[in-house]
Amino acid sequence: MQPRRLVLRRFSRDCEPRTGHEDGLKYISTRGTAPVLDFSDALLAGLARDGGLYVPESWPRMEAADIRALAGLPYAEAAFRIIRPFVGDAIKEDVLHDIITGTYAGFDHAATAPLKQLAPNLWLMELFHGPTLAFKDYAMQLLGNLFNHVLSTSGRHVTIVGATSGDTGSAAIEACKDRDAIEVFILYPHGRVSEVQRRQMTTVAAANVHAFAVEGTFDDCQAIVKALFNDIPFRDEITMSGVNSINWARILGQVVYYFVAGAALGAPDRAMTFAVPTGNFGNVYAGYVASQMGLPVERLVLATNANDILFRMLEKGLMQRGDVTPSLSPSMDIQVASNFERYLFDLLGRDGSRVAQQMAAFADTGELQLADALWHKAQGVFAPFRLDDAGTIREIRDTLAATGEVLDPHSAIGVAAARAHLGDGSSPVVSLATAHPAKFPDAVKQATGHVPELPPHMADLYSREENFDVIANDTTAVKDAIRARLAQGGRA
Ligand SMILES: *Cc1c(COP(=O)(O)O)cnc(C)c1O
């Protein structure tokens, strides 16, 4: 096939309305040597060609009055005001407004991301009202619509290849199904995702969706995707793109709810703490971005399960890779938190060559040492919290008894982290509920004795027909399978 390259170009800059100071925000790589891109091209690129991650060249500001004005707005309207400066003139304002409104129209709660009070000063923000019942829908649905728009206006196609431990895959499939300009391949570890997660990926009957069950672990899947990204000829051959949280737009879609929670609870006049169940550092990094834009954030509590690489990093100033231990909160069973690189870029004074050096050393030795001053700076922003499976079960049980709310195991770790930080001051603590309890029925049953019910739109999940390919844990085998599927679809 004719390789289609991502072309560096401006999107009809002259015939579109200017949007003020944000006009033309550019994206740079954390490793400093990849091409500088506008929003649309950073969206399509996913990972930067120097192996780094794209970040905006500067942080757009939300002034106090802008934040105050968010209170009471419909979620999509708040989202538009926060997202617009990052997009600049890459997408026309009215088109962007329609895209964002359409993105959240199908969510199943009128507030989109409702806040519930659990105790004095303790709030839960429910981020599971999208189609696949995890917080990933809030950014992934947006990403699908943005891809669709940018591709259809430029006549391009992309092949999305992603790895998942469960939730990212189903969110990506839901967001990309039946889009003419997108083929989507999702690699998940065969036999190692929950049945609900697997069925959400394998029962979507769309010709452009391909679920690959790889005979390996999640880390193997992620390593294969990384290898494909770094195989530049193959990457260009299939016009490969990514939807993992290496994609900037994933982070952007997650910044919104920090502002929405903040404005509802008194920002900019009152600061708050957020407790965030953490795996790949994507969600909690979005909270950091919100703080850089002007949201008064006291602390971001980084809540992990037994896979505690980030916890130990904050305790010791040393990031040390270990083995992944399966837990009741599988979406946080991660040892290489890719988005930490984006924060590291800021810590190192936005010096791409220093980031490249440190990341190369980490890849070599499995260790990344922070200088003392930087380590203490990170401790001022992020507070570590860790909870094992027994504690997770206890938290689900205790929260149910005290409040009547059923938490999924990931959200339970967040609530436990929030409780541990309630004593810090008088500011509210918002705990992010990252999944619906019905997504993890086994853990919830273990804690409460009851199997949580799936929402009506998924009630027939167990009777839908499944479709997936089992593929060897091998990069070449995956490559061949992708080529074969693209040829079948007339794309190669
Ligand atoms: C992905 C996921 C997380 C972890 O989010 P990161 O952005 O990877 O830190 C937590 N909880 C659930 C339910 C998830 O799906």
Side-chain angles (χ1 to χ4, degrees):
M1 75 178 248
Q2 183 67 23
R4 271 180 290 257
R5 286 171 197 286
L6 295 181
V7 184
L8 274 174
R9 65 187 180 86
R10 295 176 159 228
F11 277 71
S12 52
R13 190 169 293 265
D14 293 330
C15 42
E16 289 183 12
R18 299 268 164 172
T19 49
H21 66 280
E22 63 268 20
D23 174 303
L25 186 64
K26 293 290 182 225
Y27 289 81
I28 55 177
S29 165
T30 51
R31 300 198 190 173
T33 57
V36 173
L37 302 179
D38 80 346
F39 178 80
S40 303
D41 286 322
L43 172 79
L44 296 183
L47 195 68
R49 290 172 95 87
D50 58 6
L53 282 70
Y54 277 106
V55 289
E57 63 186 348
S58 62
W59 298 118
R61 285 292 298 178
M62 291 285 285
E63 303 302 338
D66 301 330
I67 297 172
R68 209 167 280 124
L70 296 175
L73 287 183
Y75 187 88
E77 187 59 39
F80 172 67
R81 295 188 188 188
I82 293 152
I83 291 169
R84 176 179 50 185
F86 288 95
V87 176
D89 53 5
I91 299 174
K92 275 190 191 168
E93 271 201 19
D94 57 335
V95 173
L96 181 67
H97 194 273
D98 287 351
I99 288 173
I100 293 173
T101 307
T103 293
Y104 298 105
F107 282 50
D108 75 0
H109 193 290
T112 308
L115 274 169
K116 279 190 180 161
Q117 189 160 19
L118 296 185
N121 269 339
L122 174 59
W123 301 78
L124 187 71
M125 187 172 228
E126 291 184 354
L127 298 173
F128 50 70
H129 292 284
T132 71
L133 313 182
F135 84 95
K136 300 207 167 61
D137 288 326
Y138 287 72
M140 199 72 88
Q141 286 287 311
L142 175 70
L143 190 82
N145 288 327
L146 289 169
F147 261 101
N148 194 51
H149 169 76
V150 171
L151 292 170
S152 59
T153 53
S154 61
R156 288 184 273 183
H157 287 86
V158 291
T159 303
I160 284 168
V161 185
T164 185
S165 57
D167 295 333
T168 302
S170 54
I173 286 171
E174 275 302 320
C176 299
K177 66 181 183 187
D178 295 322
R179 310 271 197 187
D180 288 341
I182 303 175
E183 291 286 319
V184 55
F185 293 86
I186 297 296
L187 280 54
Y188 67 90
H190 191 33
R192 292 173 198 247
V193 297
S194 82
E195 184 171 3
V196 174
Q197 290 178 320
R198 187 191 74 237
R199 286 182 167 275
Q200 283 184 323
M201 292 189 278
T202 59
T203 62
V204 174
N208 71 330
V209 164
H210 314 278
F212 285 0
V214 173
E215 294 176 308
T217 64
F218 166 67
D219 283 332
D220 295 327
C221 295
Q222 204 167 31
I224 291 173
V225 172
K226 264 244 156 108
L228 296 181
F229 259 112
N230 289 328
D231 179 343
I232 301 280
F234 181 73
R235 177 174 173 168
D236 288 340
E237 173 192 326
I238 67 166
T239 336
M240 181 167 163
S241 186
V243 292
N244 284 100
S245 55
I246 50 171
N247 194 307
W248 168 255
R250 285 281 306 283
I251 304 297
L252 179 54
Q254 294 169 4
V255 173
V256 174
Y257 44 74
Y258 286 91
F259 275 104
V260 168
L265 297 177
D269 306 305
R270 194 156 73 143
M272 46 223 76
T273 288
F274 290 90
V276 188
T278 303
N280 227 339
F281 201 77
N283 201 4
V284 77
Y285 173 74
Y288 165 79
V289 172
S291 74
Q292 294 306 294
M293 293 172 69
L295 184 70
V297 174
E298 202 164 277
R299 231 43 187 319
L300 292 163
V301 187
L302 200 154
T304 77
N305 62 25
N307 296 289
D308 59 352
I309 180 169
L310 293 166
F311 178 95
R312 287 180 287 117
M313 187 272 298
L314 284 170
E315 290 256 300
K316 297 184 184 146
L318 176 68
M319 193 148 89
Q320 217 168 10
R321 194 165 44 216
D323 289 328
V324 174
T325 313
S327 78
L328 291 176
S329 41
S331 302
M332 291 154 58
D333 291 349
I334 287 173
Q335 283 290 343
V336 182
S338 358
N339 276 291
F340 185 74
E341 179 167 344
R342 287 191 159 111
Y343 177 65
L344 184 67
F345 182 61
D346 278 9
L347 261 189
L348 294 175
R350 303 204 130 211
D351 180 340
S353 64
R354 285 176 73 197
V355 173
Q357 239 168 42
Q358 293 240 20
M359 293 310 297
F362 182 60
D364 267 6
T365 65
E367 290 195 355
L368 193 159
Q369 178 79 55
L370 291 179
D372 277 0
L374 303 184
W375 168 36
H376 294 137
K377 196 167 173 193
Q379 285 180 317
V381 179
F382 301 99
F385 181 84
R386 171 177 60 189
L387 196 66
D388 62 11
D389 280 352
T392 305
I393 292 292
R394 212 178 314 122
E395 184 61 51
I396 295 175
R397 205 175 279 155
D398 290 352
T399 297
L400 177 62
T403 69
E405 290 299 320
V406 179
L407 298 174
D408 99 282
H410 306 78
S411 307
I413 295 174
V415 170
R419 285 191 205 286
H421 283 267
L422 273 178
D424 287 4
S426 60
S427 61
V429 183
V430 180
S431 185
L432 301 184
T434 52
H436 189 287
K439 228 175 161 171
F440 301 94
D442 297 346
V444 174
K445 177 152 191 263
Q446 200 180 320
T448 67
H450 297 285
V451 177
E453 237 175 84
L454 286 166
H457 75 272
M458 281 176 53
D460 66 340
L461 186 68
Y462 288 92
S463 58
R464 293 181 200 160
E465 190 188 328
E466 289 193 78
N467 226 313
F468 60 92
D469 293 324
V470 178
I471 310 234
N473 177 15
D474 174 69
T475 303
T476 308
V478 171
K479 233 171 161 171
D480 290 347
I482 290 175
R483 282 199 177 108
R485 285 307 189 98
L486 289 177
Q488 275 168 17
R491 283 278 164 79

